[in-house]
Amino acid sequence: MHVPAARAAVALLVALAAVAGVTPVAAQSADQPAWADDLFADLQDMQPRYNANVTDAEMNFAQRQVYNQLAGNAVNVYFVGTDVVFSFYMRPDGTLTDLRQSRRDDAGLKMQMTRATAEDLVDRPNPVPTFVDAVQNGNVVRQDGERTVRGVVINGEDGKLVKQATWTVINAVKGFL
């Protein structure tokens, strides 16, 4: 008699632990600043404009090679100086899909930008040339003793060693291209 009761108690504890484990995740997304919700809505509105223009985007050979390294990847977008992270998947043709207001565990790349850079992109009728330029010229800088980025900086996500190595090389040479 004690064994079934003990199993039921363990099952109840496991169920309660699972529910308790989910609660903080939901609270984290609710803790995002109001601007994050507005920016995410603006990014959702920008996505069709981006996708409509990306296949016709004018890029030189070097820009196209950099862009091809981004295509076909899940990407986490980190907004520098905040805890806000969005994500998307870039199809092999360069179009954006599966935009999320959260980090993806399966992302191979991480993109860093400021909120101002993202707001500039969403305000453009055709955001593709501005995005390509922001990636081409993106770099990490120190401003008032704080680390920030100008433009868009892309690296391999933590634990993705090949992508980290690839983007380290790209970031080192892209300013010369």
Side-chain angles (χ1 to χ4, degrees):
M1 271 327 237
H2 287 73
V3 173
R7 285 186 183 159
V10 169
L12 180 62
L13 285 173
V14 169
L16 288 173
V19 171
V22 171
T23 303
V25 174
Q28 286 175 348
S29 62
D31 289 341
Q32 286 191 348
W35 66 261
D37 292 334
D38 294 339
L39 180 57
F40 186 76
D42 290 344
L43 286 166
Q44 287 177 309
D45 291 342
M46 180 205 72
Q47 182 179 345
R49 291 192 321 272
Y50 184 96
N51 288 348
N53 289 291
V54 72
T55 55
D56 297 329
E58 291 185 27
M59 292 183 226
N60 64 36
F61 177 77
Q63 289 170 329
R64 179 62 63 190
Q65 297 313 305
V66 169
Y67 205 81
N68 288 344
Q69 291 298 314
L70 181 58
N73 281 283
V75 181
N76 287 326
V77 181
Y78 297 87
F79 293 94
V80 178
T82 75
D83 292 330
V84 176
V85 182
F86 297 162
S87 61
F88 63 89
Y89 177 74
M90 183 179 278
R91 293 182 182 128
D93 68 357
T95 57
L96 304 179
T97 187
D98 199 16
L99 187 61
R100 298 181 187 179
Q101 196 172 353
S102 62
R103 183 183 181 285
R104 294 174 60 118
D105 291 335
D106 66 337
L109 298 176
K110 64 179 168 183
M111 182 180 291
Q112 299 171 45
M113 71 176 76
T114 63
R115 174 181 164 194
T117 298
E119 288 171 343
D120 183 44
L121 288 170
V122 299
D123 287 341
R124 304 284 177 154
N126 178 359
V128 177
T130 304
F131 177 73
V132 170
D133 185 60
V135 171
Q136 171 79 29
N137 298 306
N139 61 355
V140 177
V141 297
R142 287 259 181 226
Q143 185 174 330
D144 299 325
E146 297 290 319
R147 180 194 177 280
T148 189
V149 298
R150 287 198 181 118
V152 174
V153 175
I154 302 171
N155 288 296
E157 189 59 86
D158 294 343
K160 306 292 183 182
L161 300 178
V162 172
K163 291 189 187 293
Q164 288 173 341
T166 300
W167 281 93
T168 296
V169 172
I170 290 170
N171 288 325
V173 300
K174 70 181 180 182
F176 300 111
L177 304 175

